[in-house]
Amino acid sequence: MVLLAEPEGPGGALKRLIERAGGDVSLLGPSDPIERCPSEFDVVLDTWGYGEREAPDSRTLGAWWERLSARVSGLLGIARNLIECVRPGPAVRPVWVETTSLGGLLGSGEPGRGDPVAGIGLALLRALREELPELEALTMDFSWASVHSLVAN
């Protein structure tokens, strides 16, 4: 299992819960090199978009584009690795869980307040479902003010 998360926040708590339950999990942060990804996996838990809620302004636009670029590059690399892992193998049903903090408004038609960076994983998940019809795609949306341990649970 690959957990895309920052070590602090709900990602770190989720990693500890999975390990206590006997699960094998590799944590990758947004700035970690893709080479740290395990060679074989069939589950991705993406929390990189969780907590993103600030849209850029003229002062922060450069840093925002850098963060966006790193996020897109990392997610595409993970998706490519997932496709390679499940295509040649036995009948494995891959799973991708996308976690956002768009305020519980995901799918409601309301725009909500979210950094567009938070939507990258959602967009990729949509594309992956077309590429991998066998992919089990789950989305969990929380309020940005949710307690991290509750999000992990």
Side-chain angles (χ1 to χ4, degrees):
M1 174 185 311
V2 174
L3 173 59
L4 306 177
E6 297 285 355
E8 62 280 347
L14 185 55
K15 182 179 189 303
R16 289 186 294 279
L17 285 171
I18 293 167
E19 289 174 338
R20 269 189 251 144
D24 183 22
V25 60
S26 297
L27 188 136
L28 292 175
S31 60
D32 289 338
I34 193 71
E35 292 78 25
R36 289 202 50 225
C37 185
S39 59
E40 292 186 18
F41 62 95
D42 58 1
V43 176
V44 176
L45 300 175
D46 180 13
T47 68
W48 283 354
Y50 180 85
E52 298 285 354
R53 62 187 197 111
E54 298 300 323
D57 59 25
S58 60
R59 293 176 289 114
T60 60
L61 190 58
W64 182 83
W65 275 112
E66 286 179 25
R67 197 172 83 231
L68 177 75
S69 176
R71 183 77 46 89
V72 168
S73 179
L75 283 175
L76 287 174
I78 297 295
R80 187 173 36 253
N81 287 356
L82 176 66
I83 290 169
E84 289 172 4
C85 284
V86 298
R87 287 279 186 203
V92 172
R93 179 140 193 209
V95 177
W96 189 295
V97 180
E98 191 65 34
T99 305
T100 63
S101 55
L102 298 174
L105 297 174
L106 185 62
S108 70
E110 298 290 325
R113 284 192 206 187
D115 183 333
V117 173
I120 294 169
L122 295 170
L124 179 63
L125 187 57
R126 236 183 194 171
L128 276 174
R129 289 178 67 200
E130 293 296 318
E131 180 69 24
L132 287 172
E134 66 273 21
L135 178 71
E136 184 173 345
L138 305 169
T139 305
M140 298 187 305
D141 184 37
F142 298 92
S143 165
W144 62 268
S146 296
V147 176
H148 291 167
S149 60
L150 295 177
V151 172
N153 284 332

